[in-house]
Amino acid sequence: MQHKIKSIRPFIGAKDFEISRSFYRDLGFEETVLEANFSVFKSEETAFYLQDYYAKEWIENTMIFLEVDDVDRYYNELLELNLPEKYPTVKLTPIRNLDWGRECFLHDPSGILWHFGSFKK
């Protein structure tokens, strides 16, 4: 089987759709509203869908790994955004050095866990 994949776009939910929309715009993603309860958020060629749907078990078990070019810069930029102050349920966890690479973590307003990391070369 030959893969000629152009992109992968996960679907994620939101406990409060409007708060999550604001959060992802603050995080630097460009939003395109597709329907009143459904948007796509993009950064260059990377994208994901946000839907106005919340299932606690699903959301609290959703993790997304976003590979970045410089974890230190990315973490410092996240700190500058002061997201935990603006969104009370958001949690930013400092960089961890692991056998395979480095990453920091960010819980979105609904509880989705984002990993921002880079792999060892």
Side-chain angles (χ1 to χ4, degrees):
M1 187 164 131
Q2 291 185 355
H3 291 276
K4 295 190 187 226
I5 297 170
K6 295 175 81 176
S7 72
I8 186 168
R9 294 184 179 187
F11 287 73
I12 63 173
K15 188 172 190 176
D16 183 311
F17 187 62
E18 294 306 318
I19 288 174
S20 289
R21 289 176 66 209
S22 176
F23 171 81
Y24 286 113
R25 289 190 304 261
D26 286 348
L27 201 51
F29 288 95
E30 180 182 322
E31 179 185 19
T32 300
V33 176
L34 302 174
E35 295 178 17
N37 60 353
F38 188 59
S39 293
V40 63
F41 286 83
K42 289 184 178 181
S43 178
E44 297 180 9
E45 298 302 315
T46 301
F48 63 92
Y49 296 103
L50 180 70
Q51 53 194 335
D52 189 7
Y53 177 78
Y54 180 76
K56 184 177 173 36
E57 269 191 38
W58 170 52
I59 296 297
E60 290 182 354
N61 284 287
T62 297
M63 293 187 283
I64 300 173
F65 185 92
L66 186 66
E67 184 179 3
V68 297
D69 64 337
D70 184 333
V71 177
D72 291 301
R73 187 191 78 241
Y74 207 88
Y75 178 71
N76 288 326
E77 290 175 358
L78 288 170
L79 283 173
E80 290 174 9
L81 292 174
N82 293 317
L83 295 170
E85 291 178 20
K86 187 170 182 181
Y87 304 96
T89 59
V90 167
K91 181 181 174 189
L92 178 60
T93 304
I95 297 170
R96 292 177 29 190
N97 294 304
L98 304 160
D99 291 340
W100 56 265
R102 308 175 76 223
E103 68 180 343
C104 64
F105 305 97
L106 182 68
H107 285 88
D108 86 348
S110 300
I112 292 171
L113 178 58
W114 285 79
H115 299 242
F116 301 104
S118 62
F119 299 100
K120 285 185 178 176
K121 295 178 180 169

